[in-house]
Amino acid sequence: MMRRFVCILMILVPAMLFGAAPSDRREVRAGNRKFGRENYRAAEIDYRKAALKDSLSVAAQYNLASTLYRENDMEGAGKALDAVKGVAPASSDASRYYFNAGDVALQKEDYGAAVEAFRQSLLKNPDDLEAKENYIYAKKMLKNRQDQQNQTNQDQNNNDKDQDKGQDQNQNNDNKQDNNQDKNRDGNDNQDSRNRQGDGSPQISEQQARQMLNAIQAREKETQDKVKKEKAELLKSRQKEKNW
């Protein structure tokens, strides 16, 4: 596990505070004295007064950022440093400005910004061992985060693929079910076709055909007998008429 260096927590001592321009000198000096006594809340008020007089005062904003850092207000510290990011890098204390900007970024876990800030600090002061250590640490933390993000993305991609496979499998199952239903319908149609003659009429068994034939023959015989009987009666009637 990468350890945090002491310099990440102790970014300033009173001797490292920026000097002040004439317009904000009194407030900055008052803030420096209170900072030295670790009365950070009172020092913050003095530095804010100095910043009101000159919003681009590097001394006021830098020392305000240092005080807010000690008060664990990383957002406020970052804003104070951002207020002079256009002028502080050109000052003689640019290396310390970038170092503290990197410290704030580390505390906010903005590792990309921390890497860049410590890199700039080393460009201004290549012999700063603490800046080198923090630069290495920030790069390590940034790589860990990127690896975690890549793993998360990979896991998400795998989950998406699994979901797609599940959907494809369900679709295949639906298609198989539809095919089976079609086959069943075709089988029923084929069976029905086998039960029909060529003209589309239902096919009958041999026994049924024999029974139907016997019934037809019986009706024909009955009809013939009826006709013969009627003829016989008619002939008999005629004979009686002749005899009379």
Side-chain angles (χ1 to χ4, degrees):
M1 179 178 179
M2 180 67 67
R3 70 183 181 91
R4 292 183 181 273
F5 299 98
V6 175
C7 63
I8 294 177
L9 301 177
M10 302 289 291
I11 64 173
L12 285 176
V13 294
M16 293 174 61
L17 295 174
F18 276 112
S23 61
D24 57 10
R25 179 176 301 166
R26 183 167 55 185
E27 287 80 5
V28 170
R29 286 180 175 177
N32 289 352
R33 289 192 295 270
K34 294 168 184 174
F35 187 98
R37 294 194 295 269
E38 298 184 1
N39 188 356
Y40 301 122
R41 185 70 184 99
E44 176 190 346
I45 294 173
D46 287 331
Y47 293 139
R48 288 190 183 279
K49 289 179 180 179
L52 286 175
K53 287 185 176 181
D54 183 1
S55 61
L56 295 181
S57 169
V58 174
Q61 298 288 7
Y62 181 93
N63 295 348
L64 174 61
S66 301
T67 303
L68 294 173
Y69 184 99
R70 293 296 182 90
E71 294 177 307
N72 202 33
D73 182 0
M74 301 305 158
E75 289 295 331
K79 290 179 180 179
L81 291 175
D82 285 344
V84 290
K85 64 181 180 181
V87 294
S91 69
S92 60
D93 292 296
S95 174
R96 285 188 292 161
Y97 167 82
Y98 282 120
F99 185 96
N100 287 358
D103 253 344
V104 171
L106 276 181
Q107 293 298 322
K108 295 168 64 176
E109 298 185 357
D110 186 355
Y111 300 120
V115 168
E116 178 60 21
F118 287 123
R119 187 179 75 85
Q120 292 295 334
S121 179
L122 286 171
L123 288 175
K124 299 295 184 181
N125 183 12
D127 296 330
D128 189 341
L129 294 181
E130 288 183 337
K132 290 180 181 179
E133 291 173 341
N134 289 353
Y135 174 70
I136 294 172
Y137 175 78
K139 287 188 66 176
K140 176 65 175 177
M141 297 301 293
L142 178 61
K143 184 178 184 303
N144 289 345
R145 173 164 292 177
Q146 291 172 340
D147 291 342
Q148 291 175 356
Q149 184 62 44
N150 291 337
Q151 183 61 46
T152 299
N153 293 337
Q154 183 63 39
D155 292 342
Q156 183 62 44
N157 290 335
N158 292 337
N159 290 336
D160 292 341
K161 290 179 180 179
D162 291 340
Q163 291 178 357
D164 292 340
K165 288 181 180 178
Q167 292 175 354
D168 292 341
Q169 184 63 39
N170 291 335
Q171 184 63 41
N172 291 335
N173 292 338
D174 292 341
N175 291 337
K176 289 180 180 178
Q177 184 176 1
D178 292 341
N179 291 335
N180 290 335
Q181 291 175 351
D182 292 340
K183 289 179 179 179
N184 291 335
R185 285 194 294 268
D186 292 341
N188 292 335
D189 293 341
N190 292 334
Q191 181 64 33
D192 186 61
S193 297
R194 289 193 296 269
N195 291 336
R196 293 179 178 272
Q197 296 176 347
D199 59 357
S201 60
Q203 186 177 3
I204 60 177
S205 65
E206 183 179 352
Q207 182 179 1
Q208 290 174 331
R210 189 180 300 111
Q211 290 175 350
M212 291 176 64
L213 180 60
N214 291 337
I216 292 172
Q217 289 175 347
R219 285 196 297 270
E220 288 180 353
K221 186 178 183 302
E222 182 180 352
T223 301
Q224 290 174 359
D225 290 344
K226 184 177 181 180
V227 171
K228 287 179 180 181
K229 183 178 180 180
E230 289 177 351
K231 286 181 178 181
E233 290 179 352
L234 179 60
L235 180 61
K236 184 179 180 180
S237 174
R238 288 178 179 178
Q239 289 177 350
K240 287 181 179 183
E241 290 177 356
K242 288 181 181 180
N243 293 334
W244 181 85

